[in-house]
Amino acid sequence: MEAESGLVPGRLARGSRCFGAWVGHELVGYGWLSTKSEWIGEVELEIRLPAGEAYVWNCVTLARHRRKGVFRSVVTAIVGQAHKEGLARLWIASLEGVGGKTMQQAGFQPVLRFNSAKRLRLYWLMVSPADGVDPDLLASAREAVAVKGALSVRRSVTRRH
Ligand SMILES: CC(C)(COP(=O)(O)OP(=O)(O)OC[C@H]1O[C@@H](n2cnc3c(N)ncnc32)[C@H](O)[C@@H]1OP(=O)(O)O)[C@@H](O)C(=O)NCCC(=O)NCCS
């Protein structure tokens, strides 16, 4: 995990779990799963999860193993494990255009879309519902990330977590 390796003990101590993908003895990728609260760095928001829900985050494929289905395997394995454990709902944050089919096939559906910009140390976050999203699901997502309106402007925050 290179520069992030120092963060691992804190993550494990707060109950987050890491799932690794291996080829033989070589670790080729990983992803994290949290069931309480977690920082979503991409949108500078904290997600707070009710009981029975979890957040999949920091999925990384080591550079020389990319584009071979490792991310797909990690996401699918985490979803399978969560299902076995009886978790009712998983959340994931994805970048536009990366792994859409993988997410969809793993059972994820788009709920909220974010666009962001940093100007003068302010963080502008534009939030909109995904096309055709179920209103109850949308309300749950907004509650989980505590975002009510279509725009928030705050001081930009960076967290190492
Ligand atoms: C994004 C990342 C996890 C993809 O891992 P990977 O093992 O190469 O992905 P896979 O081979 O399993 O492919 C999964 C999907 O991602 C797509 N994909 C992979 N790398 C991509 C790239 N650089 N640009 C666009 N799409 C990409 C694949 O086409 C595939 O798409 P599909 O689901 O629509 O079929 C990897 O490039 C990575 O670790 N990047 C740095 C960390 C990061 O950006 N993580 C984002 C999620 S937190």
Side-chain angles (χ1 to χ4, degrees):
M1 293 176 190
E2 298 178 341
E4 293 199 330
S5 58
L7 301 172
V8 170
R11 292 176 182 179
L12 297 176
R14 64 176 186 262
S16 300
R17 283 181 287 165
C18 189
F19 294 77
W22 304 79
V23 174
H25 293 291
E26 190 182 3
L27 179 76
V28 295
Y30 56 85
W32 287 83
L33 184 70
S34 295
T35 51
K36 289 176 187 138
S37 67
E38 202 56 66
W39 182 246
I40 310 177
E42 293 89 340
V43 288
E44 299 194 3
L45 287 175
E46 178 134 332
I47 184 167
R48 289 175 195 273
L49 300 152
E53 300 193 9
Y55 172 56
V56 181
W57 59 288
N58 197 217
C59 292
V60 174
T61 300
L62 303 196
R64 66 193 190 87
H65 295 284
R66 288 182 185 166
R67 315 293 310 225
K68 297 177 194 163
V70 172
F71 172 70
R72 172 179 290 272
S73 302
V74 169
V75 169
T76 307
I78 293 176
V79 168
Q81 181 63 24
H83 185 66
K84 267 194 229 156
E85 293 176 12
L87 288 168
R89 183 185 276 159
L90 295 183
W91 301 96
I92 193 166
S94 66
L95 300 175
E96 185 86 56
V98 179
K101 205 160 104 205
T102 294
M103 311 275 186
Q104 193 192 16
Q105 287 174 349
F108 290 98
Q109 51 178 295
V111 181
L112 281 177
R113 296 194 184 282
F114 297 95
N115 282 291
S116 64
K118 277 186 199 176
R119 300 270 184 280
L120 304 170
R121 290 201 208 144
L122 291 177
Y123 186 74
W124 297 65
L125 189 65
M126 277 73 67
V127 185
S128 58
D131 293 343
V133 62
D134 172 80
D136 290 340
L137 188 53
L138 178 63
S140 300
R142 284 191 177 278
E143 193 176 332
V145 291
V147 164
K148 290 196 178 115
L151 173 69
S152 84
V153 184
R154 292 167 280 125
R155 253 202 18 214
S156 182
V157 180
T158 305
R159 279 198 208 169
R160 282 175 49 75
H161 61 116

